[in-house]
Amino acid sequence: MTAAWTAGPGALHSRDSHLWSVEDGDEIAVSCARTDQYALKFGSPYTVPLRELFAAARDRYDCTTVYFIADRKCVSVIEPARDEATACGLSVLGTSTLTGHESSKSVDSTLRMWDELSTAGVLRRTLVVGIGGGVTCDVTGFIASTYMRGVPYALLPTTLMAQVDAAIGGKTGVNLHGQKNLIGAFYHPIGVVIDPDAVRSLPDRILAAGLAEVIKVAVIGSPELFEMVAVADLHDFRSDPALARAVVRLAIREKLRQLSCDPMELGDLRRTLNFGHCVGHAIEAELGYAWLHGECVAAGMAVASRLGERMGHAAPALVSRILDTLARLGLPLRVPDEISEVVWDHLVRIERVRNGNLHIVVPGGKIGACVSLPAWPVEVAWDDVR
Amino acid sequence: MTAAWTAGPGALHSRDSHLWSVEDGDEIAVSCARTDQYALKFGSPYTVPLRELFAAARDRYDCTTVYFIADRKCVSVIEPARDEATACGLSVLGTSTLTGHESSKSVDSTLRMWDELSTAGVLRRTLVVGIGGGVTCDVTGFIASTYMRGVPYALLPTTLMAQVDAAIGGKTGVNLHGQKNLIGAFYHPIGVVIDPDAVRSLPDRILAAGLAEVIKVAVIGSPELFEMVAVADLHDFRSDPALARAVVRLAIREKLRQLSCDPMELGDLRRTLNFGHCVGHAIEAELGYAWLHGECVAAGMAVASRLGERMGHAAPALVSRILDTLARLGLPLRVPDEISEVVWDHLVRIERVRNGNLHIVVPGGKIGACVSLPAWPVEVAWDDVR
């Protein structure tokens, strides 16, 4: 696969599309191919790779202006980013801010930002830059994908969750009527700048929630990454810059590998990347986002691990290590009693809507051997594993 | 180009995406490639190709359900379409309706339909079918592109404008604050079914407006198509089924050819496809859509043709034929006096926003030789050509 892609410095940043057609009787066969190529750049401080990104936006995408969408908490990041943009000759048209809470991933935020971009004079040659956590990355991507049928955008993910998950893979979206990511698009940025050192100063809950996604991709496919996180606690991540960098790098590499065959989810729904997310999404919906996404995924992985062990798929020693690792990071291992019943109802509803296909992913005999169960097995009682 | 595409019956309907990455020091180069392949099918009646399309949705995209978005005037088309869907084993989840007026291309319509799809239980394996004119095609495509990060959709364009323009090329969008298509996406359908006979019974204004887009693509690149429309009047299109079919086929073929190099408009803005649209969009914005889109384009082409002749680019005989053809179809040739000044102000504003680049496309010495002027030439007074 990689052989087809001979990267030069310019090729790192390009978008390309072609359409062709063949007529045959009363039919015209149309094909449209599109390729996006871009770079994820690591750097502490992030200002050097950011300047390279702005230069690429100017030289490769003919951008003359830039517009920021930022988490209110990231003001310290906005200022140097504005300076770098200006140094590259890009005029800053303005900044939209939002809170990093899940409630900002809304249609209301979308309408407000469409207005703000329009008022600020954002055009098809304006680079939109998102600065913040997962919520900011998802909203920025969706705004960029729909404004003027798509403007170039870049991301500076500031949380671990955003660095290893939200900013990787081109999935954008907002929630509607409590349905997560009901409205969104697959739309890749022209660049992502990652400062792995930044995550070391995150609050405990935010850092642990990000590590939940790291554990997810590790269990799905990377023994090396799992060994790294399964022996560490929050203090280790804070005090060991090399560990934080290695974990971020490996988690991103593994996530990209897992996305490679079907990044737009055009195939079936049994993707192992959903490990922890089946029950996790149900918890998230019922708790009204009182828990962080990563905390919900952690509880979802714990439930799926116990279920996998009951079914004889998951090795007991592996399940034990997964649960220990989540516990050491202070992540939840159980669905709270008070919502247990509604979470179960939620799963039953999903299974019914999908014509009996719940597709719950459970660990297998070892790291990298996850199994997707089509439906909740009748022989396992919810209350025994939840 | 076409050699790379070896079409079998299955290959006519597929979507495919891959992502790959290469690490190099502090950089991961990511590439994501996507290909959409689908068929435009012609048929009178449209029921046979429609059934083939539903079968493809079922067999190639695993669709089990279908949802309609239709112009209220197209009820006669919805019923047989529902029957064909049912015959193919697809359950009909519901129908959203809209009026075909430009005012329906709005964020309000978008919000309403997101709600209606959600309430009806539309999922990623639901085929969304748009039935109507250009407005319906544009709105349906945008809804499909954003709901659940993109669901498969198909179009049954019922007007000439929709058949030769809106349903071709994957451009979707809605208006915001009077800015046409400010919000939208490039997103291809999985199939388009075209009944060229249907356009013969359209009201005069609707038929003529569609012919304006035909004249546009003809002037840009097809002497054969231009000769066909330059000698016909509305009566000829109504009374001669072979003429209507040939015009629709040639116009679509030519439009696809013109899109081929850069279907997502990633390159520069000086695309000849904008012939008639620079002034046309300004008229449309100022008249508040009292004129049809095609009527605005017609007046825009007339202004651009006179401008091209003044500049010595356009052959006088060609300009004369273009103006005669538009006049014979009852299309407007002038910017109305009462909005002349505001339309001019609009052009000046666009030129300023684009850093002095208006990019007005004018005819050249012959069909297929259009020229893009970067700015309005100072030596030609607006009042002399508008």
Side-chain angles (χ1 to χ4, degrees):
Chain A
M1 209 47 140
T2 55
W5 195 69
T6 50
L12 284 181
H13 301 280
S14 71
R15 294 189 300 177
D16 188 36
S17 72
H18 290 279
L19 180 147
W20 62 103
S21 54
V22 184
E23 295 195 38
D24 180 18
D26 272 339
E27 205 159 83
I28 302 177
V30 181
S31 295
C32 190
R34 165 174 194 185
T35 312
D36 296 279
Q37 299 187 315
Y38 61 97
L40 308 175
K41 288 169 182 276
F42 296 89
S44 286
Y46 59 84
T47 42
V48 173
L50 188 60
R51 184 176 289 204
E52 290 168 8
L53 174 69
F54 285 135
R58 181 193 62 203
D59 300 336
R60 304 281 308 171
Y61 299 95
D62 299 325
C63 291
T64 53
T65 50
V66 62
Y67 188 88
F68 291 100
I69 296 177
D71 187 316
R72 292 206 176 87
K73 284 188 187 149
C74 297
V75 178
S76 64
V77 183
I78 301 176
E79 283 313 312
R82 290 175 66 106
D83 293 346
E84 292 300 329
T86 309
C88 285
L90 301 176
S91 306
V92 178
L93 293 178
T95 301
S96 288
T97 58
L98 72 172
T99 58
H101 189 262
E102 188 77 22
S103 62
S104 293
K105 272 185 66 169
S106 66
V107 168
D108 282 348
S109 295
T110 303
L111 297 176
R112 172 171 67 85
M113 292 201 189
W114 281 343
D115 276 350
E116 290 176 357
L117 267 69
S118 164
T119 305
V122 171
L123 295 174
R124 289 202 67 199
R125 295 288 185 272
T126 303
L127 176 69
V128 173
V129 179
I131 304 176
V135 166
T136 307
C137 291
D138 286 355
V139 172
T140 301
F142 183 57
I143 295 294
S145 78
T146 51
Y147 189 81
M148 291 193 164
R149 299 203 183 98
V151 293
Y153 79 109
L155 294 174
L156 271 80
T158 57
T159 65
L160 181 58
M161 172 64 84
Q163 291 185 355
V164 302
D165 193 63
I168 308 299
K171 281 171 86 164
T172 76
V174 298
N175 308 327
L176 181 63
H177 301 318
Q179 289 185 74
K180 203 168 165 81
N181 300 318
L182 186 68
I183 306 301
F186 288 91
Y187 190 68
H188 287 281
I190 69 162
V192 181
V193 172
I194 291 168
D195 176 0
D197 283 3
V199 305
R200 290 167 48 222
S201 54
L202 292 170
D204 280 357
R205 272 187 75 187
I206 308 277
L207 180 55
L211 285 165
E213 285 285 350
V214 172
I215 293 164
K216 186 198 77 170
V217 295
V219 170
I220 296 169
S222 175
E224 184 185 4
L225 182 58
F226 188 73
E227 289 310 320
M228 228 175 252
V229 289
V231 297
D233 59 20
L234 291 181
H235 176 75
D236 297 328
F237 286 103
R238 295 197 191 293
S239 59
D240 184 350
L243 175 68
R245 286 178 205 173
V247 164
V248 169
R249 278 292 279 263
L250 274 182
I252 291 174
R253 182 189 297 168
E254 181 58 26
K255 168 109 199 232
L256 287 169
R257 195 187 64 76
Q258 291 169 12
L259 288 173
S260 59
C261 293
D262 183 17
M264 296 186 63
E265 301 175 3
L266 300 173
D268 69 30
L269 301 164
R270 284 163 288 181
R271 290 156 45 107
T272 51
L273 268 168
N274 279 330
F275 177 46
H277 280 65
C278 185
V279 173
H281 275 162
I283 297 171
E284 199 165 19
E286 298 306 335
L287 282 181
Y289 305 110
W291 279 11
L292 297 170
H293 177 66
E295 294 171 332
C296 298
V297 171
M301 289 191 290
V303 172
S305 297
R306 287 189 290 266
L307 174 61
E309 188 175 348
R310 288 289 181 107
M311 295 296 294
H313 292 300
L318 175 58
V319 169
S320 167
R321 288 198 77 192
I322 294 171
L323 297 177
D324 286 351
T325 304
L326 297 172
R328 192 180 318 112
L329 298 167
L331 288 162
L333 303 181
R334 294 276 172 194
V335 179
D337 288 342
E338 61 273 23
I339 60 161
S340 161
E341 208 168 319
V342 286
V343 167
W344 174 250
D345 291 346
H346 192 105
L347 295 180
V348 171
R349 200 164 59 241
I350 299 278
E351 188 169 325
R352 195 179 56 234
V353 167
R354 290 196 196 145
N355 296 316
N357 296 314
L358 188 64
H359 295 310
I360 181 162
V361 176
V362 301
K366 59 179 182 180
I367 294 292
C370 284
V371 177
S372 177
L373 307 180
W376 190 276
V378 287
E379 60 269 42
V380 180
W382 168 245
D383 271 329
D384 287 350
V385 292
R386 61 95 183 164
Chain B
M1 211 40 142
T2 55
W5 195 70
T6 50
L12 283 181
H13 300 280
S14 71
R15 293 190 299 178
D16 188 36
S17 74
H18 290 277
L19 181 148
W20 61 104
S21 54
V22 184
E23 294 195 39
D24 180 17
D26 273 338
E27 204 158 84
I28 302 178
V30 181
S31 295
C32 190
R34 165 173 195 185
T35 311
D36 297 278
Q37 299 186 314
Y38 60 98
L40 308 174
K41 288 169 182 276
F42 295 89
S44 286
Y46 58 84
T47 42
V48 173
L50 189 59
R51 184 177 290 204
E52 290 169 9
L53 174 68
F54 284 136
R58 179 193 64 202
D59 300 335
R60 304 283 307 171
Y61 298 95
D62 298 325
C63 292
T64 54
T65 49
V66 61
Y67 188 88
F68 291 100
I69 296 178
D71 187 316
R72 291 203 177 89
K73 284 188 186 152
C74 297
V75 178
S76 64
V77 183
I78 301 175
E79 283 313 310
R82 291 175 66 105
D83 293 345
E84 292 301 328
T86 309
C88 285
L90 302 175
S91 306
V92 178
L93 293 177
T95 301
S96 289
T97 58
L98 72 171
T99 59
H101 189 261
E102 188 77 22
S103 61
S104 293
K105 272 185 65 169
S106 67
V107 168
D108 283 348
S109 295
T110 303
L111 297 177
R112 172 171 67 85
M113 292 202 188
W114 281 343
D115 277 349
E116 290 176 355
L117 267 69
S118 166
T119 304
V122 170
L123 296 174
R124 289 200 67 200
R125 296 288 185 271
T126 303
L127 176 69
V128 173
V129 179
I131 304 176
V135 167
T136 307
C137 291
D138 286 355
V139 172
T140 301
F142 183 57
I143 295 294
S145 79
T146 51
Y147 188 82
M148 291 193 164
R149 297 200 185 100
V151 292
Y153 79 111
L155 295 173
L156 270 80
T158 56
T159 65
L160 181 58
M161 171 66 81
Q163 291 185 355
V164 302
D165 193 62
I168 307 299
K171 281 172 84 164
T172 76
V174 299
N175 308 325
L176 182 64
H177 301 316
Q179 288 185 74
K180 203 168 165 79
N181 300 317
L182 186 68
I183 306 302
F186 288 91
Y187 190 68
H188 288 280
I190 68 162
V192 180
V193 172
I194 292 167
D195 176 0
D197 281 4
V199 306
R200 291 166 49 219
S201 54
L202 292 170
D204 281 357
R205 271 188 75 187
I206 309 277
L207 179 56
L211 285 166
E213 285 285 349
V214 171
I215 293 164
K216 186 197 77 172
V217 295
V219 171
I220 296 168
S222 174
E224 183 185 3
L225 181 59
F226 188 74
E227 288 309 318
M228 229 175 252
V229 288
V231 297
D233 59 20
L234 291 181
H235 175 74
D236 297 329
F237 286 103
R238 294 196 192 292
S239 59
D240 183 352
L243 175 68
R245 287 179 204 172
V247 163
V248 170
R249 279 292 280 264
L250 273 182
I252 291 174
R253 182 190 297 167
E254 181 57 26
K255 169 109 198 234
L256 287 169
R257 194 187 66 75
Q258 291 169 11
L259 289 173
S260 60
C261 293
D262 183 18
M264 296 186 63
E265 301 174 4
L266 299 172
D268 70 29
L269 302 163
R270 283 163 289 180
R271 290 157 45 107
T272 51
L273 268 168
N274 279 330
F275 176 49
H277 281 67
C278 185
V279 173
H281 276 162
I283 296 171
E284 199 164 19
E286 298 305 336
L287 282 182
Y289 305 112
W291 280 10
L292 297 170
H293 177 66
E295 293 171 333
C296 298
V297 171
M301 290 191 289
V303 172
S305 297
R306 287 188 290 266
L307 173 62
E309 187 175 347
R310 288 288 181 108
M311 294 297 294
H313 292 298
L318 174 58
V319 168
S320 166
R321 287 197 77 193
I322 294 170
L323 297 176
D324 286 351
T325 304
L326 296 171
R328 192 180 317 114
L329 298 167
L331 288 162
L333 302 181
R334 294 277 172 193
V335 179
D337 288 342
E338 61 273 24
I339 60 162
S340 161
E341 208 168 317
V342 286
V343 167
W344 174 249
D345 291 345
H346 192 105
L347 295 179
V348 171
R349 200 164 59 240
I350 299 279
E351 187 169 326
R352 193 178 59 235
V353 167
R354 291 197 195 143
N355 296 315
N357 295 314
L358 188 62
H359 296 309
I360 182 164
V361 176
V362 302
K366 58 179 182 180
I367 294 293
C370 284
V371 177
S372 178
L373 307 179
W376 190 276
V378 286
E379 60 269 42
V380 180
W382 169 244
D383 271 329
D384 288 348
V385 293
R386 61 96 182 163

